[in-house]
């Protein structure tokens, strides 16, 4: 049995399973993208954000 056939038989054949796979996949993708963009923003703006300069004013 090929991998594609097993994937179809176990996941894509039932709409409820397909929906769960799509929903979980989209949540995982959204969270991963959010964390990645936030880390990129922090790296680009290092030293310019309040969390980096707060010790000067407290």
């Amino acid at each position: 049995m090929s991998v594609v056939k097993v994937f179809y038989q176990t996941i894509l054949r039932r709409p409820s399973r397909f929906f769960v796979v799509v929903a979980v996949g989209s949540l995982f993708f959204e969270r991963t993208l959010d964390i990645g963009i936030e880390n990129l923003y922090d790296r680009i703006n290092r030293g310019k954000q309040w969390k980096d300069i707060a010790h000067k004013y407290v």
Side-chain angles (χ1 to χ4, degrees), residues 5-45:
K5 189 171 184 178
V6 171
F7 181 73
Y8 175 77
Q9 292 285 337
T10 58
I11 295 176
L12 298 180
R13 195 165 180 190
R14 302 259 181 191
S16 59
R17 288 184 193 165
F18 181 70
F19 175 75
V20 169
V21 168
V22 169
V24 169
S26 65
L27 290 173
F28 177 75
F29 176 76
E30 185 271 334
R31 188 65 186 140
T32 304
L33 187 66
D34 184 45
I35 291 171
I37 295 298
E38 190 172 319
N39 287 337
L40 179 65
Y41 180 82
D42 286 341
R43 191 177 321 137
I44 290 172
N45 293 305

